[in-house]
Amino acid sequence: MMKRRDAISQIALLLGGAFTAPTLMAMDVRKGNTSIVAADFSLTDAQRQIVSAVAEHIIPRTSTPGAIDAGVPAFIEMMLKDCYKKPEHNSFLKGVSDLAKANFLAQPAAGQVAMLTLLEANTKDLMKSYSQKRIKVGDNVDKDTLEGANGVPFWRLMKELTLLGYYTSEKGIQASFIYEPVPGKFELITDMKPTQKSFVY
């Protein structure tokens, strides 16, 4: 079984090497190492549809399950409610609201992708004001985090939580890795094909 530490490292690599500090803290809350006061955070059905559509653009269903198949939208709402603070709630809700005002769901798929591409570019500019810092996670593991004065931008939260939810779900793990419950003896594999899945124990 993949350990939390390994999952975090791999997902952080997908995001350019660092999580935002609120996401690292949120993962600690889920593990029970720290606590946070439960927040009054919830999404409306219309907002959930937007979150689902965005998550599915990040990890679409192909020959493998997509974000919706893996239950990522519900994971995102649960994580935000249980593990994040008000600044992230506000920035996330603002991002969803902005997409709703732009009629995101009424756009064709290409239009939705164009909107998200613009959102990605704007978020990169916002993230330049964030400072990189190393903090301790778990037992003697230091991780790079990004910290800023305001809440983490909506798009960054969406990407982090979508990847985290997907790659810690059973469907995400099964779609991305070969599961070996009893790995047996160590055999070095030197001839992996470009599309071959890695192994998880």
Side-chain angles (χ1 to χ4, degrees), residues 93-173:
L93 290 173
K94 180 181 183 308
V96 174
S97 174
D98 289 345
L99 289 176
K101 287 177 188 167
N103 284 328
F104 178 78
L105 292 177
Q107 303 295 320
Q112 291 181 351
V113 170
M115 292 174 73
L116 296 178
T117 301
L118 179 61
L119 194 54
E120 166 93 13
N122 293 339
T123 301
K124 280 184 181 175
D125 289 338
L126 284 173
M127 294 303 294
K128 287 177 184 171
S129 65
Y130 279 60
S131 59
Q132 191 156 342
K133 180 180 171 185
R134 291 186 74 84
I135 65 170
K136 189 170 285 301
V137 177
D139 301 330
N140 303 317
V141 179
D142 291 332
K143 291 287 178 195
D144 291 327
T145 64
L146 296 169
E147 293 186 345
N150 299 315
V152 179
F154 164 76
W155 179 245
R156 180 70 190 213
L157 277 174
M158 272 299 306
K159 284 175 60 179
E160 286 187 353
L161 289 174
T162 298
L163 293 173
L164 186 63
Y166 188 79
Y167 288 108
T168 55
S169 73
E170 183 177 346
K171 288 187 176 179
I173 290 285

Side-chain angles (χ1 to χ4, degrees), residues 2-198:
M2 177 178 278
K3 293 182 178 177
R4 173 179 167 267
R5 180 183 306 166
D6 299 328
I8 291 170
S9 295
Q10 292 185 16
I11 296 166
L13 282 175
L14 292 172
L15 289 164
F19 275 116
T20 56
T23 296
L24 269 183
M25 189 187 78
M27 289 187 285
D28 237 22
V29 170
R30 290 303 300 169
K31 193 179 177 188
N33 290 340
T34 58
S35 63
I36 194 169
V37 177
D40 183 21
F41 176 87
S42 65
L43 299 173
T44 64
D45 287 342
Q47 291 171 327
R48 289 187 185 107
Q49 288 178 12
I50 292 174
V51 170
S52 295
V54 173
E56 192 69 11
H57 276 295
I58 295 172
I59 303 181
R61 180 192 293 165
T62 55
S63 59
T64 59
I68 293 175
D69 298 320
V72 168
F75 172 84
I76 290 172
E77 186 172 353
M78 178 272 298
M79 285 292 286
L80 283 165
K81 176 176 172 41
D82 292 350
C83 306
Y84 283 80
K85 294 182 177 177
K86 200 71 176 171
E88 280 66 46
H89 295 164
N90 291 341
S91 67
F92 191 86
L93 290 173
K94 180 181 183 308
V96 174
S97 174
D98 289 345
L99 289 176
K101 287 177 188 167
N103 284 328
F104 178 78
L105 292 177
Q107 303 295 320
Q112 291 181 351
V113 170
M115 292 174 73
L116 296 178
T117 301
L118 179 61
L119 194 54
E120 166 93 13
N122 293 339
T123 301
K124 280 184 181 175
D125 289 338
L126 284 173
M127 294 303 294
K128 287 177 184 171
S129 65
Y130 279 60
S131 59
Q132 191 156 342
K133 180 180 171 185
R134 291 186 74 84
I135 65 170
K136 189 170 285 301
V137 177
D139 301 330
N140 303 317
V141 179
D142 291 332
K143 291 287 178 195
D144 291 327
T145 64
L146 296 169
E147 293 186 345
N150 299 315
V152 179
F154 164 76
W155 179 245
R156 180 70 190 213
L157 277 174
M158 272 299 306
K159 284 175 60 179
E160 286 187 353
L161 289 174
T162 298
L163 293 173
L164 186 63
Y166 188 79
Y167 288 108
T168 55
S169 73
E170 183 177 346
K171 288 187 176 179
I173 290 285
Q174 289 176 344
S176 308
F177 301 96
I178 297 172
Y179 176 60
E180 293 282 355
V182 182
K185 67 179 181 180
F186 177 77
E187 293 181 30
L188 181 62
I189 299 174
T190 58
D191 58 346
M192 289 187 72
K193 299 178 178 74
T195 58
Q196 183 175 343
K197 293 178 183 177
S198 184

